Amino acid sequence: MTQPTRIRRCHAGHLWQADGWSREGIFGIDADGTLQAVEDGPAERLGTWVLPGMPNLHSHAFQRAMAGLAERRGKVGGSSALVPGHDDQKAAIQDRTPQQDNFWSWRETMYAFAAAVGPDELKAIAAQLYVEMLKAGYTQVCEFHYLHHQPDGTPYAQPEAMSLALVEAAREAGIALTLLPVLYMRGGFDGRPLGARQRRFGHEVDAYLRLLETLRSQQDADLSVGIALHSLRAVPEDALQAVLTSGLAQDGPIHIHIAEQLGEVQDCLAIRGARPVEWLLDHADVGERWCLVHATHLNEDETARLARTGAVAGLCPTTEANLGDGLFPLASYLDAGGTLGIGSDSHISISPVEELRWLEYGQRLATRRRNIAARREGASVGETLWRAALEGGAQASGLPVGTLQPGHRADLLVLDDGSALLAAREEPALLDSLIFAGNTPLVRDVMSGGRWVVRDFRHHDEERIAQRYRETVQRLRQAPAG
Ligand code: NGQ
Ligand code: ZN
């Protein structure tokens, strides 16, 4: 006999499905936290507006603890005038030891900060970050993890200690994790060795594959382990081919940083004779398992080719704005049928609402037009972007997330029924209002893998996790810069 009590029955006034809102949605959740189809009948009412949790396809967890610490002007001077709209590409390219603050000077600050982060610190920071993600509506995160070894490059006694710190943090917070251990071998396209502060990122291919194998053996319903190549500048071609042809690369997600800065486009052209996306598409069998993070600088041909592969463009609009990266060609990519998802990357902001808002606003500011992401007459920008980010994020995660269909994880958000903004809205404008006007937290309850992790805006373990985070950051501030 079946045991109906094992399936929890839930009701939503409006339920977001892949093809739009459905009214009076009823669904079941089994004891494993998986969604099940159920017949109509009595069910627990969750709220008026229920959405799938958003996947976060790109995170460097440790960087959360330095958010706001790199916004002070460094050395003033240099030749490249900061005239709005003045596209001084040459200056940007040559400006690797910058006279003006840019991506590469931010990276120095980030490296100095990273030097003091060990396994305990990483776990404390990541758990706090993941609590914040859940409260903001992210229920899964892809951790692009390259802080592998001790600061001088020596492996920890347990070589996967830093990876395990992230796994433990995700379990404490209750967020689904796609762990992407990163292969990082060189300091630039010219093959230079890792700099002193990069030593702790490095692996030879064999050691990297061993780490991958160890972590793969820990996979379960809440943890998937994929592959990450830091960037074309950090991974020589023979190593890239060795990893991609290994048995471990035959399934699971594959992520890479690709074309974030004009400087790396220029170096790639000079040394490999092609632009980064062009080079990757020519040398690897890029398809749906791939996520190209910061596919920022694409020409028309690359845009169309990337869209055809079915790979995910991993966009992190608030970090890309914060670091001064440039703008992704959103309209032509969507017209070509391209897939995209969002990540909070450096965690200067932790909000799917803000990522999607800035994805659209960047385009509006650059083109002096409106409603760019909506490519059909009458289409909603908010719905288009929310749907795209759910689908692309799920694809990049390698986990059954991003949709409230039977067989998927019960990862869901219940919006605030008490919100005056949302109470005044009907279905067509709900996601537009959330994305463009939703500034106060509007996610009231969050379920991850069938368990409530946030109820009434509070995470069940947030005080303890925040206290440990505060103590950790205080300790890091006293540590000498590496
Ligand atoms: C990272 N972050 O690996 O943390 C990079 C910066 C690099 C972003 N690109 C370092 N946002 O790309 O070399
Ligand atoms: Zn990154």
Side-chain angles (χ1 to χ4, degrees):
M1 207 181 106
T2 54
Q3 294 181 308
T5 49
R6 280 174 50 85
I7 305 264
R8 205 154 124 206
R9 300 166 54 86
C10 301
H11 170 275
H14 305 257
L15 186 66
W16 179 258
Q17 307 278 24
D19 52 359
W21 291 108
S22 72
R23 298 262 171 110
E24 310 299 339
I26 297 204
F27 53 92
I29 302 171
D30 69 16
D32 299 328
T34 303
L35 294 160
Q36 302 289 343
V38 290
E39 315 254 293
D40 280 354
E44 175 193 352
R45 186 183 157 80
L46 302 186
T48 307
W49 303 103
V50 176
L51 301 156
M54 182 61 75
N56 185 338
L57 60 60
H58 195 65
S59 164
H60 306 287
F62 73 92
Q63 291 175 16
R64 176 54 174 173
M66 62 166 283
L69 299 182
E71 308 300 324
R72 196 172 285 261
R73 183 80 186 257
K75 214 194 282 161
V76 178
S79 57
S80 51
L82 282 177
V83 181
H86 171 81
D87 192 11
D88 197 349
Q89 298 200 355
K90 264 225 164 85
I93 289 164
Q94 287 155 4
D95 223 3
R96 228 56 77 69
T97 344
Q99 308 261 284
Q100 292 192 167
D101 294 349
N102 66 11
F103 176 89
W104 308 102
S105 62
W106 167 84
R107 194 172 80 156
E108 290 307 312
T109 310
M110 186 270 280
Y111 282 174
F113 182 83
V117 176
D120 291 346
E121 290 77 21
L122 185 57
K123 178 173 160 183
I125 296 167
Q128 172 65 21
L129 169 70
Y130 297 157
V131 165
E132 293 175 36
M133 282 187 190
L134 287 163
K135 291 171 78 168
Y138 291 118
T139 46
Q140 178 278 342
V141 58
C142 293
E143 192 58 54
F144 196 101
H145 166 58
Y146 58 87
L147 226 53
H148 297 298
H149 312 304
Q150 301 182 56
D152 67 356
T154 316
Y156 287 98
Q158 187 178 24
E160 66 277 19
M162 292 293 267
S163 297
L164 295 183
L166 293 166
V167 173
E168 285 167 23
R171 293 203 196 288
E172 280 189 10
I175 195 168
L177 175 65
T178 300
L179 182 59
L180 302 163
V182 172
L183 178 63
Y184 202 126
M185 302 179 76
R186 297 285 179 269
F189 274 107
D190 57 3
R192 77 185 71 173
L194 299 177
R197 281 166 161 171
Q198 297 172 323
R199 240 164 253 155
R200 64 183 311 199
F201 313 159
H203 278 111
E204 292 305 320
V205 171
D206 286 355
Y208 174 73
L209 293 175
R210 277 200 299 280
L211 172 67
L212 200 58
E213 195 162 22
T214 308
L215 295 173
R216 281 261 162 99
S217 69
Q218 311 228 352
Q219 292 187 120
D220 61 22
D222 303 316
L223 174 66
S224 150
V225 177
I227 288 176
L229 308 167
H230 182 272
S231 50
L232 294 181
R233 59 192 143 85
V235 179
E237 181 178 358
D238 56 348
L240 177 133
Q241 299 301 355
V243 170
L244 294 181
T245 52
S246 81
L248 292 166
Q250 305 318 306
D251 54 28
I254 306 173
H255 290 220
I256 184 169
H257 286 140
I258 194 68
E260 181 173 15
Q261 283 283 316
L262 288 172
E264 65 187 331
V265 176
Q266 149 117 353
D267 284 354
C268 193
L269 260 172
I271 293 173
R272 297 204 185 166
R275 299 163 56 84
V277 171
E278 181 187 12
W279 189 94
L280 185 69
L281 297 181
D282 286 345
H283 290 82
D285 185 16
V286 173
E288 291 181 2
R289 288 194 291 131
W290 283 74
C291 177
L292 274 61
V293 182
H294 312 303
T296 310
H297 297 288
L298 299 176
N299 64 22
E300 269 176 44
D301 186 51
E302 289 173 308
T303 306
R305 285 183 70 192
L306 177 58
R308 275 201 301 276
T309 65
V312 182
L315 307 177
C316 308
T318 63
T319 294
E320 289 158 9
N322 186 267
L323 299 182
D325 289 340
L327 284 175
F328 175 76
L330 182 66
S332 31
Y333 186 69
L334 290 175
D335 287 344
T339 304
L340 61 83
I342 51 165
S344 59
D345 189 355
S346 70
H347 315 301
I348 193 67
S349 166
I350 303 171
S351 160
V353 163
E354 208 188 357
E355 296 306 335
L356 294 175
R357 182 185 298 170
W358 278 100
L359 182 54
E360 170 73 16
Y361 275 176
Q363 307 292 319
R364 293 190 191 185
L365 288 164
T367 61
R368 300 188 216 104
R369 297 250 149 82
R370 301 191 70 251
N371 301 338
I372 311 294
R375 308 305 297 157
R376 283 182 296 104
E377 188 179 329
S380 141
V381 174
E383 290 193 354
T384 303
L385 288 176
W386 195 272
R387 179 183 290 123
L390 285 174
E391 289 175 4
Q395 190 180 314
S397 77
L399 285 164
V401 298
T403 173
L404 297 178
Q405 302 292 325
H408 287 73
R409 280 174 64 89
D411 288 354
L412 58 85
L413 318 178
V414 183
L415 300 185
D416 180 16
D417 273 342
S419 152
L421 172 76
L422 300 185
R425 291 291 177 268
E426 303 290 335
E427 280 179 2
L430 196 278
L431 283 171
D432 289 325
S433 303
L434 179 69
I435 289 177
F436 293 104
N439 293 324
T440 49
L442 291 174
V443 176
R444 188 191 64 197
D445 306 313
V446 180
M447 182 184 281
S448 169
R451 287 193 311 138
W452 289 114
V453 287
V454 175
R455 294 235 74 170
D456 226 357
F457 305 100
R458 298 185 70 75
H459 182 276
H460 62 83
D461 203 10
E462 66 177 42
E463 281 87 8
R464 182 187 68 87
I465 289 172
Q467 179 56 28
R468 185 179 60 185
Y469 173 78
R470 277 193 290 273
E471 289 163 10
T472 302
V473 173
Q474 249 145 37
R475 215 164 55 233
L476 286 174
R477 288 174 70 133
Q478 283 146 18

